[in-house]
């Protein structure tokens, strides 16, 4: 998946706001799924021909809005759009999915492991 963002230099809307609005809309629509890793500030700035401070300002606004989250040196990711517990669960699920894939599990095997863990946790 590639992040497709365009900034209209002739627009009366500031570039950081164009960037913020486009990422926010794509995240809220599901086009950018929870856990999607966004480009670095410098990388996106270079791709769009913007100053790094412009992209950093947009990322800061998105993080303040709860649309994205920064995980230190690991990068910036699309956050869950709901409360903190749901956001943490989504992050954990994304981590699990990545690890299961890395281990070579099929979708069915990974799904079965999750179902078993949920059954055990909820005493089903």
């Amino acid at each position: 998946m590639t992040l497709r963002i365009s900034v209209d230099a002739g627009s009366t809307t500031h570039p950081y706001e164009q960037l913020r609005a486009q990422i926010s809309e794509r995240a809220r629509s599901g086009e950018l799924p929870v856990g999607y890793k966004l480009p670095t500030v410098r990388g996106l700035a270079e791709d769009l021909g913007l100053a790094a401070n412009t992209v950093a300002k947009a990322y800061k606004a998105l993080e303040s809005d709860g649309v994205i989250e920064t995980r230190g040196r690991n990068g910036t990711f699309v956050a869950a759009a709901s409360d903190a517990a749901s956001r943490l669960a989504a992050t954990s699920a994304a981590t699990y999915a990545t690890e299961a894939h890395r281990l070579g599990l099929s979708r069915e095997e990974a799904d079965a492991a999750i179902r078993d863990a949920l059954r055990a946790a909820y005493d089903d």
Side-chain angles (χ1 to χ4, degrees):
M1 169 182 280
T2 304
L3 178 64
R4 293 189 191 112
I5 299 290
S6 63
V7 175
D8 180 2
S11 174
T12 58
T13 304
H14 294 287
Y16 92 89
E17 180 57 31
Q18 291 180 51
L19 181 58
R20 188 208 60 75
Q22 289 178 58
I23 292 174
S24 181
E25 173 56 34
R26 286 178 175 86
R28 294 191 196 288
S29 73
E31 185 179 333
L32 292 177
V34 170
Y36 176 81
K37 186 174 182 179
L38 294 167
T40 64
V41 168
R42 285 185 184 173
L44 187 55
E46 187 176 300
D47 289 347
L48 297 174
L50 298 172
N53 286 341
T54 300
V55 176
K57 185 176 180 179
Y59 275 20
K60 185 175 181 179
L62 288 162
E63 190 162 25
S64 178
D65 293 344
V67 175
I68 65 173
E69 60 186 356
T70 301
R71 301 180 194 159
R73 292 186 173 269
N74 291 325
T76 303
F77 299 83
V78 173
S82 56
D83 64 2
S86 294
R87 198 170 327 154
L88 181 57
T91 299
S92 296
T95 300
Y96 169 77
T98 300
E99 186 66 10
H101 185 263
R102 187 187 70 74
L103 292 169
L105 296 178
S106 69
R107 283 182 189 245
E108 294 76 18
E109 291 168 324
D111 190 49
I114 283 292
R115 282 194 310 272
D116 291 344
L118 287 170
R119 260 192 299 283
Y122 287 95
D123 295 320
D124 287 347

